[in-house]
Amino acid sequence: MTEHAIVDLRVYTIRLRKMAEFIEVFDRLAMPVQLKYLGRPLGMFTSAVGPLNQIVHLWGFPDMGEFERRHAARDKDPDWPAYLQASKHLIVAQENRLIRRIELPSLSGLAT
């Protein structure tokens, strides 16, 4: 099985003119806990075209069981509620998708 067979794709819509504040809160309060339980994200992005005021982050997991185990551990961390409290006025909407990797023969052997 590949290292990241499951990817947790999260899209948060942030209140107008509050992106800098959200990023500061996320980096200061959420990232230390996320890194402890989920590891490094595959990537973090902000929207440039299309729906604006969005931050997108991707987290990879080897399988669904590992995704569930790590998130359950994160949610029990005593520092996690501080992030939830500090960010609740900044987030307008949240969308989570779990996407699965597919293997294409034409991509085998290509560097990523």
Side-chain angles (χ1 to χ4, degrees):
M1 185 170 287
T2 61
E3 181 182 352
H4 302 297
I6 300 287
V7 173
D8 180 11
L9 183 154
R10 295 183 176 235
V11 180
Y12 293 3
T13 302
I14 306 303
R15 292 201 180 286
L16 184 62
R17 292 183 286 283
K18 295 293 185 178
M19 183 64 77
E21 183 180 352
F22 176 79
I23 290 172
E24 186 279 325
V25 166
F26 189 86
D27 191 47
R28 179 171 46 88
L29 298 174
M31 279 306 286
V33 179
Q34 299 272 65
L35 291 170
K36 182 176 178 181
Y37 296 100
L38 307 183
R40 291 182 57 84
L42 301 177
M44 301 197 70
F45 310 89
T46 57
S47 56
V49 175
L52 299 177
N53 305 308
Q54 292 187 326
I55 186 164
V56 177
H57 40 113
L58 304 147
W59 303 83
F61 302 92
D63 55 51
M64 192 64 187
E66 191 69 7
F67 164 85
E68 290 174 348
R69 184 188 70 72
R70 290 184 187 189
H71 278 82
R74 182 211 53 199
D75 292 350
K76 292 177 185 171
D77 188 285
D79 293 332
W80 189 240
Y83 160 69
L84 298 176
Q85 180 65 29
S87 65
K88 71 180 183 179
H89 72 285
L90 301 170
I91 300 171
V92 174
Q94 177 181 342
E95 178 183 345
N96 293 17
R97 293 183 187 182
L98 290 178
I99 55 179
R100 294 182 296 179
R101 175 183 295 277
I102 60 169
E103 300 297 335
L104 294 175
S106 59
L107 295 178
S108 65
L110 295 179
T112 55

